[in-house]
Amino acid sequence: MAKSGSEFVRTLRNKAKDGTLKNLWADWKWIWGFSRRRWGSVVLYTLFGILSSTLGLVAGVVGKYMIDAIIAMDLSRLGMYCVLTIISAVLGVAFQSLTSRFSAKLSIDMLGDVQGKVFSEVIHSDWSALSKYPTGELLNRFSGDIGTVASCAVSWLPGVIIQSFTVLATLGVILYYDPVMALIGCASTPLMFLASRSLLRKQRHHNQRMRQVSGDMSAFQSETFRNMDTLKSFGVEEQMERKLQQRQDDYRDTVLRYNRFTIRTNIWLTAMGTAVQYGAMAYCLWRLWRGDILFGTMTLFLQQRASLSSAFSSLVSLVPTALSGSVAAERIRELTELPKEPHYETPTVQGSCTLEAKQIRVGYNTQRTVLEDVDITAPAGQIIALVGPSGEGKTTLLRMLLGLIRPDQGSIQLIDETGSRYPVGADTRNCFTYVPQGNTMIAGTVAENLLLARENATEQELIEALNDACAWEFVKELPLGIHTPIGENGKGLSEGQAQRLAIARALTRRAPVMLLDEVTSALDRDTEQRVLENLCRRGVTTIVTTHRPSVLRMCSQIYQVHNGQVHPITHEQCDQQL
């Protein structure tokens, strides 16, 4: 025993060196932060559990005296014991029901607390840092890992307190009647201790691997379903099936490896537990044969020894629970600790705006520069174009204007009608509206999609935006007009209709600057021209990336993006290149 104790100390020392225990403590401090927010409910939940455990002990003791009274034919107290048994049973059911109901409410509230906190932290994270995580992985962490953290915040510490109380109280009852029996009941304690040491060593790695594999599968499925039309167009259904099978095989191997470890551990623990159980029974039968105890006492001993073993097992099971919660918390904390967007002061911009970028340089890493020495001016109320081959940095430039990406050097400023200058960043994002490439409609009604840009817009303002986007002509023919539901990614709409709705949503925002990323590609020339004329009429400063000559002819200035450089070119030069 001394050897195993020294080994455990050595294990803890090693884990302290490699940071495991430090990380475990940091993760659980973070989890307990949520528990403290609802400490009153957590304390009440713990008290309910202790009362339920106490009633179980009372019922066991009353049962002993009832059995002894029946065997001794002592009817004088039998009625009292029966009444106490019924009362303890009724109270036990009542407390179990209250605990279950209270636990459900507390779990829901705690889940909401964790989700709200994490969502707030993630949504305010720096875009560049957050974009490194696949959507499926983010969803996996936000659903599975947050659920684990919330469950631990509710039940882990109360579980430790309740099960510790049960162990001590049960041991006290047994000790009161027979110290030797109490010693036998504690015989399984070192076994559980050794098991917890083994689980501490294995469980954390297992949980990390399981969540990694699960996140990979979730990301794969999310991307597959999101790009189903593209995959079908390539005819790669069987290829995707093979890729899913590979991930399933990896998941299966991971689960089965841990399952094998669990089975071996359980076999050993069950064998040792059974030996202790039969040892206790043999001791009780020997005491009963000698006449030292009555049958009721023997029943109490065996019953409470089983309860003691069960409580020990529950305490040990909290070890892998703690490790699982730690792994989940670590994965969530990784998201919440992402760098946040810098905020200074939201400007009050007056009238139309001029956009001015000077000496801009941006790169995704130190080895690759995407744009360098960029100088761009977008005069108020005019349309300027960015042209150039795909992948040269046009979308990157738009993201910089939105403050999603910060330049490594240089400055980007908004200049309003009063001449006031505002550095572009997260705080000036309310001055911009952005229509990215692709279909960006969400499931809901037409109105709900438009109100996403400005939730207090009136119905008349929505119709005006639809008119200026040349979308009202088809929206008014829909069964319910602007209240007609549309599917995810605009299902039920043509690509051109979806593009016009996206432009209408941008116009609903009523921002002085609009960024359009190849968003008129699905429009016919006449519709495209009318939309752009309406933007000019509204006095919106517009920056558009495009390859279409019809759009370029309406632009006051054209900038070519090529080889990391941005240069103004004339319409004649642009026509020659196109």
Side-chain angles (χ1 to χ4, degrees):
M1 185 69 186
K3 182 179 179 180
S4 64
S6 64
E7 289 177 354
F8 184 62
V9 171
R10 188 160 52 251
T11 300
L12 293 177
R13 188 188 305 119
N14 292 336
K15 289 193 174 293
K17 289 180 180 179
D18 65 21
T20 301
L21 291 179
K22 183 179 179 180
N23 291 340
L24 186 68
W25 174 245
D27 293 335
W28 270 96
K29 279 181 64 179
W30 186 76
I31 293 175
W32 285 329
F34 293 101
S35 300
R36 286 195 296 270
R37 295 182 185 182
R38 297 188 177 272
W39 67 269
S41 298
V42 172
V43 169
L44 195 57
Y45 173 68
T46 304
L47 290 176
F48 281 159
I50 290 175
L51 286 173
S52 296
S53 178
T54 302
L55 286 171
L57 284 171
V58 170
V61 173
V62 172
K64 162 200 159 11
Y65 287 108
M66 184 187 300
I67 292 172
D68 289 343
I70 292 174
I71 292 176
M73 300 298 290
D74 182 5
L75 303 181
S76 61
R77 298 186 178 181
L78 185 59
M80 180 184 67
Y81 295 145
C82 289
V83 171
L84 288 175
T85 300
I86 293 172
I87 292 175
S88 61
V90 170
L91 289 176
V93 171
F95 274 113
Q96 286 178 357
S97 300
L98 283 173
T99 302
S100 176
R101 180 66 175 174
F102 192 79
S103 174
K105 289 184 176 181
L106 181 57
S107 297
I108 292 172
D109 292 340
M110 192 68 75
L111 181 63
D113 289 347
V114 181
Q115 283 182 334
K117 171 66 174 177
V118 174
F119 186 82
S120 176
E121 294 284 348
V122 169
I123 205 168
H124 288 97
S125 296
D126 181 77
W127 179 87
S128 298
L130 188 61
S131 63
K132 297 176 183 178
Y133 294 87
T135 302
E137 174 65 12
L138 290 175
L139 291 175
N140 182 263
R141 297 191 187 199
F142 198 77
S143 55
D145 291 322
I146 283 182
T148 300
V149 168
S151 176
C152 289
V154 169
S155 62
W156 193 83
L157 186 57
V160 170
I161 296 173
I162 293 168
Q163 296 305 326
S164 298
F165 170 81
T166 302
V167 167
L168 294 175
T170 303
L171 189 61
V173 169
I174 299 175
L175 189 64
Y176 175 79
Y177 288 101
D178 193 317
V180 176
M181 187 63 196
L183 183 62
I184 296 175
C186 292
S188 59
T189 303
L191 304 180
M192 300 299 181
F193 180 78
L194 293 174
S196 66
R197 184 166 66 94
S198 178
L199 286 171
L200 182 66
R201 188 172 58 249
K202 300 281 187 179
Q203 186 76 18
R204 185 177 177 86
H205 172 73
H206 163 72
N207 272 281
Q208 288 173 330
R209 179 59 184 157
M210 282 285 293
R211 294 180 187 277
Q212 178 185 347
V213 172
S214 178
D216 181 48
M217 184 176 293
S218 178
F220 172 79
Q221 292 170 342
S222 175
E223 291 176 355
T224 299
F225 293 141
R226 189 171 60 249
N227 299 292
M228 186 65 72
D229 53 348
T230 303
L231 297 174
K232 281 186 169 293
S233 71
F234 290 138
V236 294
E237 291 90 343
E238 293 183 0
Q239 178 182 339
M240 301 308 293
E241 288 177 357
R242 289 194 300 272
K243 289 185 177 182
L244 177 63
Q245 185 63 52
Q246 291 172 356
R247 286 166 172 78
Q248 288 177 329
D249 291 342
D250 192 15
Y251 181 82
R252 179 177 181 273
D253 291 342
T254 302
V255 172
L256 290 181
R257 276 196 298 271
Y258 181 70
N259 178 256
R260 184 168 57 247
F261 160 74
T262 303
I263 289 174
R264 290 174 178 172
T265 303
N266 287 340
I267 289 175
W268 180 72
L269 290 176
T270 301
M272 296 300 101
T274 302
V276 173
Q277 177 183 350
Y278 283 123
M281 183 176 293
Y283 174 75
C284 286
L285 290 173
W286 177 69
R287 295 290 306 278
L288 185 65
W289 177 69
R290 289 183 52 187
D292 296 334
I293 60 174
L294 299 176
F295 187 77
T297 305
M298 174 181 170
T299 303
L300 177 66
F301 282 170
L302 296 179
Q303 180 189 58
Q304 297 307 315
R305 195 219 65 82
S307 297
L308 188 63
S309 177
S310 175
F312 273 132
S313 298
S314 297
L315 274 176
V316 170
S317 70
L318 292 173
V319 174
T321 299
L323 295 174
S324 177
S326 171
V327 171
E330 183 178 38
R331 285 163 54 85
I332 294 298
R333 285 174 60 213
E334 184 179 317
L335 298 180
T336 62
E337 292 172 359
L338 289 173
K340 301 297 183 288
E341 291 184 316
H343 288 274
Y344 304 102
E345 183 178 355
T346 302
T348 304
V349 176
Q350 299 183 29
S352 299
C353 290
T354 295
L355 192 64
E356 187 179 84
K358 290 186 176 181
Q359 297 296 304
I360 296 299
R361 179 193 178 279
V362 63
Y364 287 128
N365 50 55
T366 56
Q367 287 75 35
R368 182 189 172 204
T369 299
V370 179
L371 297 169
E372 189 167 13
D373 295 331
V374 175
D375 290 309
I376 291 177
T377 298
Q382 298 186 25
I383 302 176
I384 72 166
L386 303 176
V387 299
S390 298
E392 291 291 336
K394 298 188 298 297
T395 300
T396 298
L397 186 53
L398 296 185
R399 287 172 177 163
M400 273 199 298
L401 298 179
L402 288 169
L404 298 176
I405 300 174
R406 291 183 293 280
D408 300 325
Q409 67 179 38
S411 65
I412 306 175
Q413 293 183 324
L414 277 175
I415 309 169
D416 67 8
E417 291 182 345
T418 67
S420 299
R421 292 176 174 266
Y422 306 98
V424 165
D427 296 307
T428 59
R429 206 168 288 154
N430 65 320
C431 301
F432 290 82
T433 186
Y434 176 48
V435 186
Q437 297 182 40
N439 194 322
T440 57
M441 293 295 100
I442 61 174
T445 66
V446 172
E448 287 171 342
N449 272 274
L450 269 58
L451 290 171
L452 187 65
R454 186 163 62 92
E455 62 181 356
N456 62 347
T458 66
E459 185 168 318
Q460 183 58 39
E461 288 173 332
L462 299 184
I463 294 174
E464 289 176 5
L466 289 167
N467 261 317
D468 286 346
C470 298
W472 179 242
E473 56 196 47
F474 76 83
V475 171
K476 67 182 179 181
E477 301 298 330
L478 295 175
L480 299 175
I482 64 173
H483 302 293
T484 301
I486 57 177
E488 183 182 9
N489 291 329
K491 287 183 179 178
L493 301 174
S494 69
E495 186 175 352
Q497 289 173 332
Q499 280 193 341
R500 281 181 279 174
L501 285 183
I503 296 172
R505 181 171 59 191
L507 290 172
T508 301
R509 186 170 175 82
R510 293 194 168 184
V513 182
M514 179 176 288
L515 309 177
L516 306 177
D517 197 357
E518 298 283 1
V519 296
T520 62
S521 58
L523 304 183
D524 60 80
R525 181 174 299 181
D526 178 62
T527 302
E528 178 184 71
Q529 182 172 347
R530 285 191 290 140
V531 169
L532 293 176
E533 287 175 349
N534 290 336
L535 292 181
C536 291
R537 180 176 52 81
R538 280 184 172 234
V540 178
T541 305
T542 305
I543 301 176
V544 56
T545 67
T546 184
H547 295 88
R548 303 184 72 173
S550 56
V551 176
L552 296 172
R553 281 192 287 272
M554 301 187 66
C555 298
S556 60
Q557 180 65 64
I558 302 172
Y559 289 90
Q560 183 181 42
V561 183
H562 185 59
N563 289 333
Q565 302 292 320
V566 179
H567 300 290
I569 60 175
T570 65
H571 286 80
E572 291 76 14
Q573 290 173 320
C574 186
D575 289 339
Q576 292 174 2
Q577 294 181 15
L578 294 176

